[in-house]
Amino acid sequence: MDVQGKLEILADAAKYDASCASSGTEQRDSRDGKGIGSTDPGMGICHSYAPDGRCISLLKILLTNACNYDCLYCINRASSNVPRARFTVSEAVQLTLDFYRRNYIEGLFLSSGIIRNPDYTMEQVVRVAKSLREEHHFRGYIHLKTIPDASDDLIAEAGTYADRLSINIEVPTETSLARLAPEKDVRAIRRSMGRLRLKLDEATDSSAKHGRAAPPRFAPAGQSTQMIIGADASNDRTILETSANLYGSYNLKRVYYSAFSPIPDASRALPLPLQAPPLVREHRLYQADWLMRFYGFDIGELTEPLEDGMLPLDIDPKLAWALRHRDRFPIDVNSASREQLLRVPGFGTRTVNSILAARRVTHLRAADLARLHVPRKKALPFIVLSDHRPAPALLDSNRLLQLLRPRPAQLGFGF
């Protein structure tokens, strides 16, 4: 099989990996005339999207889609009837360089099915990154998937070449993992995450001790993980509890949520073999995750009042919380604390920062919301401004949800 054929198979096989952000890494460039590429620590890589909406601006490939494991939710499982292919190390390296020189990509995302054993697979993955960095002086972004139970030495070596390392937690609960991916061990996955955190902490501590001296490099963009949503019966509360535990225990940069995609010849052991969860559920989980990390919400505030543990799909989690706590509104934008402002529907962190800055020199009015790009319809029922006070009857009304719920619209062709 030629490289084009392998690329067709192995790029398609990797499209289910959601993690592609590159924020948080270190800055590198080639202005000294050596090497190829650059990275910007302040920018995420999100330029183009596949027809199913997923970002493909990294060269996102598997080294091979052959796999010893038989995870029921995975199209690359051992029993799956799909064409198999495998890149050599040199082919993966050359593809990355060729795509980068054509300005198609800004980096490499490399994962692999598990072949022979975890150490052999991890060694192959590391060899690609090592060749790019040491032989070709590649300075673009590299994200490597680590293999559970690979040796410490290989993990440490991977961290010297990669910007980000990740290992998938796969599904929200240990019980589901045992049923859907019997060869995988949640203890091995968490053990690998713990080892990564220790090495990341060591790199940070070393930086503090050495002052201006360059710290030992180890995956400066940290580690992340991914959960498949809808392959088991876990509700949103369980998913978010697992995420909160992962953030707290392993200091992850991100937990990515990936809605389960029906696959050809799906196993009958899957609870819903031919149905995918609505993509908006994935979106609501990202919104709730954001609220917990940056807006001061705890998981109970978002999920405890929900009888079935599921976030509403028709409105976002912050608006749903505000409608359940109308007694805390309206909030005076010109005097409220930052914590109170962050709970107003339609107010993002940048909006709140802008409001706090503007309040030093002026009193905000309703017309200022447009300048701050705030959706007026969503925010006005919950706030007081110099020239605006919502009617108490509206805030208490059962009609408020109907007024704020997005109206159904017929999709068209745009012409």
Side-chain angles (χ1 to χ4, degrees):
M1 184 182 297
D2 61 14
V3 174
Q4 181 71 30
K6 294 180 181 179
L7 180 61
E8 187 174 334
I9 293 172
L10 295 173
D12 186 70
K15 68 183 180 184
Y16 300 100
D17 276 296
S19 50
C20 58
S22 64
S23 55
T25 189
E26 63 185 9
Q27 186 167 7
R28 293 187 301 272
D29 60 56
S30 303
R31 285 179 292 184
D32 58 2
K34 300 177 182 178
I36 175 174
S38 64
T39 55
D40 186 335
M43 300 296 290
I45 296 174
C46 282
H47 288 174
S48 59
Y49 294 85
D52 62 355
R54 299 185 187 277
C55 178
I56 56 171
S57 52
L58 296 175
L59 175 58
K60 192 183 290 186
I61 55 173
L62 302 187
L63 199 58
T64 177
N65 65 341
C67 190
N68 295 339
Y69 291 179
D70 200 37
C71 306
L72 300 183
Y73 47 78
C74 181
I75 194 171
N76 301 313
R77 68 187 189 280
S79 62
S80 180
N81 183 26
V82 295
R84 306 287 180 174
R86 177 180 175 178
F87 283 128
T88 65
V89 169
S90 60
E91 286 172 339
V93 169
Q94 195 57 49
L95 270 176
T96 305
L97 295 173
D98 289 347
F99 274 77
Y100 196 95
R101 289 189 177 109
R102 287 173 171 82
N103 202 28
Y104 292 163
I105 61 168
E106 296 185 52
L108 170 68
F109 174 95
L110 184 62
S111 183
S112 179
I114 298 175
I115 48 176
R116 296 192 190 180
N117 55 61
D119 274 356
Y120 174 78
T121 308
M122 192 71 216
E123 181 186 0
Q124 297 296 301
V125 171
V126 170
R127 282 181 59 195
V128 174
K130 181 177 182 178
S131 175
L132 283 168
R133 293 291 194 221
E134 294 194 348
E135 296 174 25
H136 302 279
H137 306 287
F138 179 69
R139 293 171 186 176
Y141 180 79
I142 296 179
H143 181 157
L144 299 181
K145 276 289 174 68
T146 57
I147 309 299
D149 267 352
S151 72
D152 271 349
D153 290 344
L154 286 169
I155 297 293
E157 190 175 8
T160 63
Y161 303 123
D163 293 278
R164 175 167 289 182
L165 298 174
S166 61
I167 178 170
N168 287 352
I169 195 71
E170 305 290 6
V171 287
T173 68
E174 184 175 354
T175 304
S176 294
L177 188 69
R179 182 166 55 87
L180 300 176
E183 292 95 347
K184 290 189 174 176
D185 181 356
V186 70
R187 290 169 296 183
I189 294 172
R190 287 183 172 269
R191 190 162 54 241
S192 296
M193 286 182 172
R195 284 150 55 193
L196 280 180
R197 175 171 186 172
L198 287 175
K199 292 185 181 301
L200 289 165
D201 289 346
E202 287 172 5
T204 304
D205 291 344
S206 176
S207 174
K209 289 177 182 176
H210 288 82
R212 294 183 178 180
R217 187 186 190 281
F218 187 86
Q223 65 165 322
S224 61
T225 192
Q226 179 172 324
M227 253 190 287
I228 299 171
I229 307 306
D232 67 347
S234 297
N235 60 27
D236 292 345
R237 180 189 298 130
T238 301
I239 292 166
L240 292 172
E241 285 173 349
T242 300
S243 296
N245 176 271
L246 292 171
Y247 281 124
S249 300
Y250 307 108
N251 197 23
L252 298 182
K253 291 292 184 183
R254 288 287 298 275
V255 176
Y256 290 91
Y257 306 97
S258 179
F260 169 70
S261 298
I263 53 180
D265 300 322
S267 168
R268 293 182 178 180
L270 286 170
L272 297 172
L274 296 178
Q275 297 182 33
L279 283 178
V280 70
R281 183 185 175 196
E282 180 184 288
H283 180 57
R284 297 300 182 217
L285 286 168
Y286 275 115
Q287 289 177 318
D289 181 291
W290 219 256
L291 291 177
M292 290 193 297
R293 288 193 293 143
F294 301 111
Y295 288 76
F297 286 83
D298 65 49
I299 186 170
E301 292 180 292
L302 298 172
T303 62
E304 284 303 327
L306 308 176
E307 292 183 0
D308 57 359
M310 301 294 285
L311 298 168
L313 298 181
D314 56 343
I315 55 175
D316 67 77
K318 190 202 279 191
L319 178 57
W321 176 87
L323 290 172
R324 292 195 301 269
H325 298 85
R326 303 184 198 202
D327 56 310
R328 303 194 186 188
F329 298 97
I331 287 173
D332 189 335
V333 173
N334 287 299
S335 61
S337 67
R338 175 183 173 80
E339 290 72 24
Q340 290 175 308
L341 292 173
L342 284 173
R343 301 211 164 210
V344 175
F347 282 14
T349 53
R350 289 185 180 179
T351 298
V352 171
N353 290 338
S354 298
I355 288 172
L356 294 175
R359 282 192 338 199
R360 298 175 189 149
V361 295
T362 187
H363 277 71
L364 291 160
R365 304 168 67 86
D368 294 321
L369 296 183
R371 182 174 53 81
L372 295 171
H373 305 291
V374 173
R376 289 166 55 95
K377 180 180 176 182
K378 181 183 281 188
L380 284 176
F382 300 97
I383 58 176
V384 172
L385 294 158
S386 297
D387 59 347
H388 166 78
R389 177 174 288 277
L394 174 62
L395 190 55
D396 296 333
S397 170
N398 292 330
R399 293 179 52 249
L400 186 55
L401 172 59
Q402 301 301 324
L403 292 173
L404 297 177
R405 178 182 286 150
R407 294 182 179 178
Q410 178 66 48
L411 296 177
F413 294 103
F415 58 84

